[in-house]
Amino acid sequence: MPNNLEASIDIAASPEKVWAVLADLKRMPELSPTTWKMIALGGVRVGALTVNVNKDGWKVWPTTSRIVAFEPNKTLAFRMLENRTVWRYELEPTAGGTRVVETRTVDPKGIPAPVRTLVNAAAGGEDKFEADLVSGMQETLARVKAAAER
């Protein structure tokens, strides 16, 4: 069974400044090492559909997601339609700025069998895939930190 994943970082910038970086989904390719493009159809709001192009080395694949939480300066989350996982960014004010927690939560129904088969065949199996996801989450948060602290 796939695992829920989490990474976090403390950023020396206000939640408003961090939010300005995260909520601009056109910047996701700058932030995420596996995102080539992310387009929110109809604007960035709850219910909006996003069309995404992902990359890992020579591998490129499309995904879609639905924004399921959009609370300025606090929460941004989207559900991947292909595998039902929810990716969430939670912003929490701290004495020195903002703590950002990024999570990937697996739907209680699990991940569809065709997606799991693809992960095993093309991504080196679930353990490697999840380790790569956590590494990507940490890299994404480091890039958010760098952008927000400029």
Side-chain angles (χ1 to χ4, degrees), residues 35-141:
T35 303
W36 190 23
K37 194 165 215 62
M38 185 172 198
I39 301 165
L41 303 177
V44 182
R45 58 176 174 68
V46 170
L49 180 69
T50 71
V51 177
N52 320 295
V53 180
N54 304 291
K55 62 180 171 48
D56 181 19
W58 58 269
K59 296 174 268 189
V60 177
W61 66 98
T63 59
T64 54
S65 64
R66 178 95 41 209
I67 297 173
V68 295
F70 186 85
E71 189 174 345
N73 308 319
K74 192 168 178 142
T75 305
L76 173 64
F78 47 93
R79 177 180 300 279
M80 303 306 299
L81 300 181
E82 293 76 15
N83 67 12
R84 301 187 297 250
T85 60
V86 174
W87 289 82
R88 179 177 303 273
Y89 296 91
E90 293 281 345
L91 285 65
E92 176 185 327
T94 64
T98 307
R99 173 165 269 248
V100 180
V101 178
E102 180 180 5
T103 57
R104 181 200 74 162
T105 305
V106 177
D107 187 276
K109 296 177 190 171
I111 292 181
V115 175
R116 291 184 75 187
T117 299
L118 190 59
V119 164
N120 286 328
E126 219 163 88
D127 290 342
K128 181 185 180 321
F129 180 66
E130 288 183 348
D132 290 346
L133 287 177
V134 171
S135 176
M137 292 163 79
Q138 292 166 336
E139 187 173 341
T140 297
L141 292 176

Side-chain angles (χ1 to χ4, degrees), residues 19-34:
W19 179 260
V21 173
L22 275 175
D24 183 358
L25 297 184
K26 291 181 300 253
R27 290 184 77 175
M28 200 54 76
E30 166 194 339
L31 304 173
S32 169
T34 58

